Amino acid sequence: MKKLFSPILAGASLGDRLVACLGALLGIALTAFVSARLAGSGLALLIVAPMGASAVLVFAVPASPLAQPWPAIGGNILSALVGITVAHLVPIPALAAGLAVAGAILVMSLTRSLHPPGGATALLAVIGGPQVAAAGYTFALLPVGLNAVILALLGILIHRFTGHSYPHRAVLATATPRDEPAASLYPADLDQALVEMGESFDISREDLELLLQRAEHHAAGRRAGAR
């Protein structure tokens, strides 16, 4: 039972989660307010759904490659453009919905902007109703682009005060040279292991390498202290 309620993500503290809650509160409230002022309350309420998912990534897992500003902004805008295009070209709603999400994944992957809420944004462009259809391609900029930009900027501001790196950069917590003699793993070893596992992980390759280096560093210190 204890394992069932254990945190899924490693390294997250209660304080981090409370900051994520505050960020989501401010981010969603602000994006909804601005959209309501500029785009009309009905359209703003529609876009809050995918932005809610974006807020989880930006504020709860700011180190994730999927949560960075370019994926958060570009992924949502590009997905909206894909969804709008598919909605115009495919008259069958069910098929259009599937093609929009599939196309969004492809476009985000090719542009290094993979952002899971983008799938919801693409779907919204297809099934959003008359208001979204009437907005046409401007829907991708207002309110989608506007919402995404506000959320990313607020994420940068909030994480500046929390000490988290956002936009995230892989930086060693302490000054340890990358070629530290204690390390027995080489970058090529990590690359080969990733190829062999054939899986995608929600951590950048650089962060994974630094994590392993720090683990090797502490393991070497423990072995030295035990002598």
Side-chain angles (χ1 to χ4, degrees):
M1 183 63 68
K2 181 179 179 181
K3 184 178 180 181
L4 180 64
F5 293 98
S6 298
I8 296 177
L9 298 177
S13 67
L14 176 59
D16 290 333
R17 291 294 165 254
L18 293 177
V19 168
C21 293
L22 176 61
L25 169 63
L26 296 176
I28 294 301
L30 184 59
T31 53
F33 174 77
V34 173
S35 294
R37 300 287 292 183
L38 297 180
S41 60
L43 195 58
L45 290 175
L46 285 174
I47 196 58
V48 164
M51 287 303 121
S54 293
V56 173
L57 289 170
V58 170
F59 296 109
V61 282
S64 169
L66 306 176
Q68 301 313 297
W70 166 238
I73 297 172
N76 275 307
I77 293 176
L78 292 173
S79 295
L81 292 173
V82 170
I84 295 164
T85 301
V86 171
H88 285 168
L89 297 177
V90 182
I92 305 173
L95 178 60
L99 286 174
V101 176
I105 293 174
L106 176 61
V107 170
M108 287 189 291
S109 298
L110 293 176
T111 57
R112 296 172 58 87
S113 63
L114 193 62
H115 188 64
T121 303
L123 186 60
L124 180 60
V126 174
I127 65 173
Q131 279 187 303
V132 175
Y137 283 100
T138 60
F139 174 73
L141 298 178
L142 181 66
V144 173
L146 176 65
N147 275 243
V149 168
I150 293 173
L151 205 62
L153 290 177
L154 194 60
I156 293 173
L157 178 63
I158 288 180
H159 289 306
R160 184 71 58 87
F161 290 99
T162 63
H164 289 129
S165 171
Y166 187 82
H168 183 66
R169 297 289 183 271
V171 179
L172 282 173
T174 58
T176 302
R178 292 176 64 85
D179 58 347
E180 183 181 47
S184 59
L185 292 176
Y186 291 87
D189 299 326
L190 179 59
D191 292 335
Q192 184 61 34
L194 290 171
V195 170
E196 290 175 353
M197 294 190 72
E199 298 285 351
S200 295
F201 299 94
D202 194 11
I203 182 174
S204 70
R205 182 207 173 283
E206 292 77 15
D207 275 324
L208 183 57
E209 181 182 354
L210 292 177
L211 178 64
L212 292 173
Q213 284 184 359
R214 292 309 302 164
E216 288 266 346
H217 171 74
H218 291 296
R222 175 174 47 78
R223 288 192 296 267
R227 292 173 184 170

